[in-house]
Amino acid sequence: MNGLIIVDKPPGCTSHDVVQRVRRALKQKSVGHAGTLDPLATGVLVVALGEATKLVSHLQADDKRYLVTIALGAETDSLDADGEVTETAAVPPLDVPMVRRAAERFIGRHPQEAPKLSAIKVGGRPLHRRMRQGEEVEAPVREVELHEVRVEAVGPREISLSLHCGKGFYVRSLARDLARALGTMGHVKTLRRTASGPFGIEDAVYGDGMTAESIAKRLIPLRDACRALR
């Protein structure tokens, strides 16, 4: 097959696991993905088949949309719920206007410190591998862009946001930085990607039930995939 398949990635597996499932279902080696999702995260993963794998570098540059719930009161080494708690803090009383004002400070282009447990390579080796081998690492600071943020809910110990962001944006870093701006600590509790470029969750096949037939029904042909890059 040549084209794209939009997968709704289940929790608990890696993006590479999804690629492997597609390879097994199709008995096809030429499969890749654009825009890695952490194991905890769910939602839109663009998977390229055959000749479409040549488009991956372009597809990775697309804007992304997310729904995120941030747990307040504790920061973890991975900046999400899969990590070990490294620091705790009291959570002040919060309301929607307070969270909105704090979140809006991050809109636009701004420097963002990447998570130390990430796939970014320093000296040719991923940061997460260096960390797990006990090395002291310094996470790089990169310029990223947040186009839009909307506060969906505010609770006593968590907040929910919808985000529209550019390439290379780490939602885990925003969770850390926003929680600190609110006078506490925080980490990602749940994360769901709802869109990658023009491809939305409504186009997706669920990653736990993929078959050659279900993939073929949702296949985006190569010509349409190329058109989506314009």
Side-chain angles (χ1 to χ4, degrees), residues 1-72:
M1 287 188 186
N2 297 298
L4 302 178
I5 180 73
I6 312 305
V7 177
D8 182 354
K9 188 188 88 64
C13 66
T14 67
S15 299
H16 181 68
D17 291 336
V18 172
V19 168
Q20 290 294 88
R21 292 178 189 181
V22 174
R23 284 175 177 158
R24 286 195 297 269
L26 299 180
K27 297 180 173 59
Q28 175 173 321
K29 290 185 178 179
S30 184
V31 180
H33 70 83
T36 300
L37 283 172
D38 296 325
L40 171 142
T42 66
V44 172
L45 184 68
V46 179
V47 177
L49 312 175
E51 289 296 308
T53 55
K54 297 174 182 177
L55 304 178
V56 164
S57 61
H58 302 286
L59 294 165
Q60 287 174 333
D62 281 338
D63 287 355
K64 311 292 192 299
R65 293 182 183 271
Y66 295 95
L67 294 174
V68 58
T69 298
I70 301 171
L72 301 174

Side-chain angles (χ1 to χ4, degrees), residues 73-94:
E75 194 170 295
T76 69
D77 55 0
S78 62
L79 303 183
D80 66 20
D82 286 341
E84 298 292 330
V85 173
T86 56
E87 196 167 355
T88 61
V91 181
L94 299 171

Side-chain angles (χ1 to χ4, degrees), residues 9 29 37 88 93 101-102 104 117 131 138 167 195 204 206 221:
K9 188 188 88 64
K29 290 185 178 179
L37 283 172
T88 61
R101 286 193 296 272
E104 286 176 349
L117 281 172
M131 278 274 293
E138 187 169 334
K167 176 186 177 182
Y206 189 58

Side-chain angles (χ1 to χ4, degrees), residues 13-213:
C13 66
T14 67
S15 299
H16 181 68
D17 291 336
V18 172
V19 168
Q20 290 294 88
R21 292 178 189 181
V22 174
R23 284 175 177 158
R24 286 195 297 269
L26 299 180
K27 297 180 173 59
Q28 175 173 321
K29 290 185 178 179
S30 184
V31 180
H33 70 83
T36 300
L37 283 172
D38 296 325
L40 171 142
T42 66
V44 172
L45 184 68
V46 179
V47 177
L49 312 175
E51 289 296 308
T53 55
K54 297 174 182 177
L55 304 178
V56 164
S57 61
H58 302 286
L59 294 165
Q60 287 174 333
D62 281 338
D63 287 355
K64 311 292 192 299
R65 293 182 183 271
Y66 295 95
L67 294 174
V68 58
T69 298
I70 301 171
L72 301 174
E75 194 170 295
T76 69
D77 55 0
S78 62
L79 303 183
D80 66 20
D82 286 341
E84 298 292 330
V85 173
T86 56
E87 196 167 355
T88 61
V91 181
L94 299 171
D95 57 28
V96 170
M98 291 170 63
V99 175
R100 183 183 297 118
R101 286 193 296 272
E104 286 176 349
R105 299 177 204 165
F106 297 93
I107 292 177
R109 296 194 69 81
H110 62 277
Q112 183 187 68
E113 181 185 321
K116 290 184 178 180
L117 281 172
S118 67
I120 295 174
K121 290 184 178 180
V122 174
R125 294 167 60 210
L127 282 177
H128 66 81
R129 190 169 299 162
R130 287 176 172 270
M131 278 274 293
R132 287 176 174 133
Q133 290 175 347
E135 294 184 35
E136 288 292 327
V137 299
E138 187 169 334
V141 175
R142 307 183 301 176
E143 190 172 76
V144 297
E145 187 165 12
L146 179 61
H147 302 297
E148 181 185 7
V149 58
R150 187 168 63 215
V151 181
E152 302 291 348
V154 176
R157 297 190 66 83
E158 65 182 41
I159 55 178
S160 297
L161 312 171
S162 58
L163 309 172
H164 175 200
C165 53
K167 176 186 177 182
F169 189 91
Y170 273 99
V171 180
R172 287 181 288 148
S173 292
L174 177 67
R176 173 198 62 205
D177 298 340
L178 177 57
R180 291 178 181 180
L182 292 168
T184 184
M185 299 287 170
H187 63 269
V188 169
K189 179 180 179 181
T190 64
L191 180 62
R192 183 161 179 78
R193 184 188 287 162
T194 57
S196 179
F199 307 113
I201 198 68
E202 65 278 1
D203 303 315
V205 57
Y206 189 58
D208 268 349
M210 288 185 295
T211 63
E213 291 75 19

